[in-house]
Amino acid sequence: MKRTRSQTKSNSISNNNPQPQIKTLNSSKIPFPAKKIPKLTTKKPILPPSSSPPPPPPIAKPLSSTGELETALNHLRAADPLLSTIINTFPSPQFSNKITPFFSLIKTLISQQLSNKASSSIENRFISLFDSQSSILPNAVLSLTPTQLREVGISGPKATYIHDLSTKYANGFLSDSSIIEMDDEMLYEKLMSVKGIGPWSVHMFMIFTLHRPDVLPVGDLVVRRGVEKLYGLKGLPSPSQMEVLCEKWKPYRSVGSWYMYRFVEAKGVLPSHTT
């Protein structure tokens, strides 16, 4: 049978391509759903309504206030039976020193690393540079030259310390009134910024000039020795141990520390009678 031209063409295509031809797509052209990129916001975060800072802690009454020392002694007797024995043995402390904070700090700087006799002599010569002790004011001290201070026995470094203290008073960084009104933490921070004044000096100033009731001089060798003897320890307590051992004395650790001086002066041996 004779094939037509159209049939021959059809068979030829069928024999050469037995499988149907599949059209492929270029992968670069495969459509993907577009991702939304979040926009960066410029809105400021919502802050809680502003509130005034908390008020500073109240300043404890000085130990020289009427009735305050007796309250302290009663508290310590009840809180620590061992310390109670010391309190009942020695006379009560006296906190009635009348001296301005400024001059007291100058005395502190003068007396460093000196015996009581030597420091007292230099203090008297220093006072002689002024009309009276009441006229020892910051600007008057700043008018003195280092040479004048050395002539009365004040060393070069101590002259620098005294001028630094006077400058901080003159520019308002410190003042007698602000020192009295500061809480213990702020006072410690401010005084530590004065050249020549360290932790021990600050603690002594707070106890014996300002009569602050709750100061524990953890670095004081005599106080540590007293605590060692009081509690029968095998060695000097560390500052952190002092904090723990004397916790029960709060809020009158200044008074407990004062009695440690008396205890050590008695060589850790109490008299057989009490007063």
Side-chain angles (χ1 to χ4, degrees):
M1 186 175 189
K2 190 175 181 180
R3 298 181 179 178
T4 63
R5 181 177 295 180
S6 62
Q7 288 176 323
T8 304
K9 185 176 181 182
S10 175
N11 289 341
S12 173
I13 295 173
S14 176
N15 292 335
N16 295 333
N17 300 283
Q19 299 296 329
Q21 188 173 13
I22 299 174
K23 187 176 181 181
T24 61
L25 297 175
N26 191 320
S27 62
S28 64
K29 296 181 180 180
I30 297 176
F32 290 97
K35 293 184 179 180
K36 293 183 178 181
I37 301 175
K39 295 181 179 180
L40 296 176
T41 179
T42 57
K43 293 182 179 180
K44 295 182 178 179
I46 299 176
L47 300 176
S50 59
S51 58
S52 57
I59 306 300
K61 290 182 180 180
L63 291 166
S64 50
S65 299
T66 304
E68 190 64 17
L69 180 58
E70 189 61 32
T71 300
L73 295 177
N74 290 336
H75 169 82
L76 293 172
R77 286 189 182 101
D80 190 343
L82 291 175
L83 182 59
S84 179
T85 303
I86 309 295
I87 293 173
N88 294 334
T89 301
F90 296 100
S92 300
Q94 300 295 319
F95 294 99
S96 58
N97 185 23
K98 298 297 182 181
I99 185 173
T100 65
F102 177 65
F103 184 55
S104 176
L105 290 169
I106 288 180
K107 283 168 62 70
T108 295
L109 293 171
I110 289 175
S111 64
Q112 288 176 354
Q113 299 178 333
L114 294 176
S115 66
N116 290 337
K117 182 178 180 180
S119 63
S120 178
S121 176
I122 294 173
E123 286 168 17
N124 290 333
R125 293 202 296 268
F126 174 78
I127 294 173
S128 69
L129 297 174
F130 305 86
D131 294 334
S132 64
Q133 184 174 314
S134 61
S135 63
I136 301 177
L137 300 173
N139 287 329
V141 175
L142 287 173
S143 68
L144 299 174
T145 65
T147 300
Q148 288 176 293
L149 293 175
R150 284 197 296 270
E151 287 175 349
V152 298
I154 297 175
S155 67
K158 288 184 179 181
T160 300
Y161 303 157
I162 291 172
H163 271 113
D164 182 63
L165 171 67
S166 302
T167 298
K168 284 180 168 59
Y169 260 79
N171 63 22
F173 180 79
L174 289 171
S175 68
D176 283 352
S177 59
S178 67
I179 282 176
I180 293 172
E181 294 169 359
M182 289 180 201
D183 61 68
D184 291 355
E185 184 177 349
M186 177 61 71
L187 178 60
Y188 183 89
E189 180 181 338
K190 289 268 191 175
L191 292 181
M192 284 291 290
S193 70
V194 178
K195 292 179 181 179
I197 292 183
W200 184 85
S201 296
V202 175
H203 288 152
M204 295 300 103
F205 174 77
M206 292 170 72
I207 294 174
F208 294 105
T209 298
L210 301 183
H211 312 147
R212 296 287 173 95
D214 195 35
V215 179
L216 180 66
V218 294
D220 188 288
L221 181 61
V222 177
V223 177
R224 292 169 65 197
R225 184 71 68 190
V227 170
E228 176 194 7
K229 292 182 177 295
L230 180 66
Y231 296 117
L233 306 178
K234 294 182 179 180
L236 285 175
S238 65
S240 59
Q241 289 174 321
M242 289 283 291
E243 294 283 358
V244 174
L245 291 168
C246 302
E247 175 74 19
K248 62 178 74 70
W249 297 355
K250 285 184 175 182
Y252 297 107
R253 292 179 295 177
S254 298
V255 181
S257 299
W258 186 90
Y259 276 104
M260 292 302 96
Y261 278 98
R262 306 291 80 78
F263 190 35
V264 172
E265 287 173 357
K267 301 185 185 305
V269 178
L270 298 179
S272 58
H273 65 279
T274 58
T275 57

